[in-house]
Amino acid sequence: MVLLVRNRVKDIDHWKKVFDEQEAAGMAAGLSVERVWRSADKPDEVFFILGIEDRAKAEAYMATPEAAAVGEEAGATDGEFWFLEEFPAPGNH
């Protein structure tokens, strides 16, 4: 299972700095950064995938005021996230 996150941000460089600084807090919650992208069409929009050790622990972390404060500090103006499970592609049974 992974966590896919989309954020719209005020300043991409500032967001990335804060995002990198918070890696240890995410790791303590069982999250690991797997991939990070910036939209080719909207440079203020970022997407990232976090690996999850334990969904309940990840959900608890995402619901904390501290996690919300990190988004605010990073300049996130909008965001969504989804928990995703592997699903076989056609021909990969």
Side-chain angles (χ1 to χ4, degrees), residues 1 6 11 16-17 19 21 28-30 34 36-37 41 48 51 54 59 63-64 77 82 84 90 92:
M1 180 170 286
R6 181 200 57 82
D11 177 325
K16 183 69 166 88
K17 179 181 179 290
F19 180 82
E21 290 170 352
E34 293 191 4
V36 179
W37 298 271
D41 299 318
F48 53 98
D54 179 303
E59 287 176 328
T64 64
T77 60
W82 303 268
L84 304 175
N92 293 336

Side-chain angles (χ1 to χ4, degrees), residues 81-92:
F81 63 89
W82 303 268
F83 289 93
L84 304 175
E85 297 177 310
E86 184 85 23
F87 191 75
N92 293 336

Side-chain angles (χ1 to χ4, degrees), residues 7-13 15 43-46 71 74-78:
N7 284 151
R8 185 155 293 144
V9 299
K10 294 177 187 174
D11 177 325
I12 190 76
D13 294 324
W15 174 87
D44 66 338
E45 195 165 51
V46 294
T77 60
D78 178 43

